[in-house]
Amino acid sequence: KRDWESDRDYDHRQLKIMENSQQLSTIVAFRLANEPIEVQNEGVVVSGTIENMPADEKLQVGDVIVAVDEKPIHEAGELLHYLKDKKEGEVVQLTVVRDEKERSVQLSIEKFPEKYATNKDEAQYGIGIVGPVTKTIVKTEKEVTFDTDNIGGPSAGLMFTLEIYSQLSDEDITKGYKIAGTGEIFEDGKVGAIGGIHQKVVAAHNAGADIVFAPVSGNNYEDAKEAAIDIKTKMKIVPINHVREALDYLEKLEPKS
């Protein structure tokens, strides 16, 4: 949680990120299994705003941005790309959906306060939204349901993907091993870094896992190995850059006796 973020905004943002993680894992798993899937990106969900920035007064958590300066916006990357070259003082017009109604919102580009900037070495500018998430609609012939007990965040993405793929492929890809893992999943199948890797290694050990998949990104794998040494576990820590690497690793395993 960022120190300037309200508990309400943090919880909402984490749940939106979890929802996005479920959708991305479904997309990746169905594509890997060559199962039919329809994907539509329908805008950018505002999951938080920065205090005293333009968006803070005019946007609300849950708003969906569908256009900027009358240019349709389908995903978060498009919005960020459009805004990145804007200069301080420029004004952009957002088309926003709130409570199923479209409205037009004008926001100026301003400098991010230093404590909010992701790069401390140079000034950064924007409208003041935090962690924009693509609103994705996924349609599949086979029903997919998740029971996450109101847990938020992106960390389960890799394991969601593997579980969905396992069920679609109609085989036990674990070969009888107890598999744990963590990592954010992206639509191209790449696996991203997460927080709290040390605690997750400890939790996997306590749950009796044989193998833990850890993202290479963000030094997660090195930190996971260090944690494994600290607790003297016999679990195998496996580095993962892409979900395909996890599947290849499992495929080459000898079944557990």
Side-chain angles (χ1 to χ4, degrees):
K1 180 179 181 295
R2 298 172 171 96
D3 57 4
W4 45 266
E5 192 173 19
S6 72
D7 289 341
R8 175 182 174 276
D9 283 359
Y10 173 76
D11 290 342
H12 188 280
R13 182 167 61 84
Q14 289 297 101
L15 290 174
K16 283 296 179 185
I17 292 171
M18 166 61 85
E19 183 181 310
N20 190 55
S21 177
Q22 293 170 354
Q23 292 163 335
L24 290 175
S25 61
T26 301
I27 293 167
V28 175
F30 270 68
R31 287 174 177 168
L32 283 169
N34 294 315
E35 289 282 348
I37 184 168
E38 182 182 334
V39 181
Q40 291 177 287
N41 292 327
E42 298 189 345
V44 179
V45 180
V46 176
S47 57
T49 60
I50 294 175
E51 59 186 0
N52 300 321
M53 288 285 286
D56 190 34
E57 294 181 0
K58 295 186 177 181
L59 296 182
Q60 295 180 6
V61 170
D63 284 351
V64 180
I65 301 168
V66 295
V68 56
D69 292 338
E70 299 185 351
K71 172 185 170 62
I73 294 293
H74 301 100
E75 56 188 60
E78 292 177 342
L79 177 64
L80 296 175
H81 179 75
Y82 185 84
L83 294 176
K84 73 180 179 67
D85 294 326
K86 293 293 181 182
K87 303 292 189 296
E88 186 174 14
E90 287 189 62
V91 175
V92 294
Q93 179 175 300
L94 303 181
T95 304
V96 175
V97 177
R98 181 187 301 165
D99 299 328
E100 301 183 357
K101 295 179 181 178
E102 277 195 6
R103 63 186 66 203
S104 183
V105 178
Q106 288 193 331
L107 298 176
S108 60
I109 302 295
E110 293 186 7
K111 181 181 176 181
F112 282 99
E114 186 177 339
K115 66 177 180 177
Y116 305 134
T118 54
N119 185 344
K120 303 297 184 184
D121 297 327
E122 61 181 48
Q124 293 178 286
Y125 301 89
I127 58 176
I129 57 176
V130 184
V133 175
T134 301
K135 181 181 179 181
T136 303
I137 305 299
V138 176
K139 297 179 181 178
T140 58
E141 294 178 3
K142 295 180 178 178
E143 184 180 4
V144 181
T145 59
F146 296 85
D147 182 6
T148 56
D149 195 27
N150 218 33
I151 296 170
S155 300
L158 170 63
M159 300 310 288
F160 281 156
T161 305
L162 294 175
E163 177 61 29
I164 295 168
Y165 176 83
S166 179
Q167 294 195 35
L168 289 173
S169 61
D170 224 11
E171 62 176 299
D172 179 14
I173 64 174
T174 70
K175 305 284 185 66
Y177 295 88
K178 196 165 189 177
I179 310 295
T182 187
E184 181 175 4
I185 196 73
F186 297 100
E187 193 170 340
D188 60 1
K190 289 181 180 177
V191 178
I194 50 80
I197 190 72
H198 190 286
Q199 292 87 344
K200 287 166 185 172
V201 169
V202 173
H205 170 76
N206 291 339
D210 300 303
I211 296 165
V212 176
F213 292 134
V216 173
S217 177
N219 215 47
N220 274 180
Y221 170 63
E222 296 300 327
D223 290 342
K225 282 200 304 179
E226 194 174 295
I229 292 170
D230 287 346
I231 63 174
K232 299 180 174 59
T233 183
K234 294 181 180 179
M235 293 186 305
K236 172 75 172 174
I237 310 295
V238 180
I240 301 294
N241 281 299
H242 191 283
V243 65
R244 187 76 255 179
E245 294 174 7
L247 290 172
D248 289 344
Y249 179 88
L250 293 171
E251 190 175 322
K252 292 172 184 174
L253 276 180
E254 290 294 326
K256 189 173 183 180
S257 57

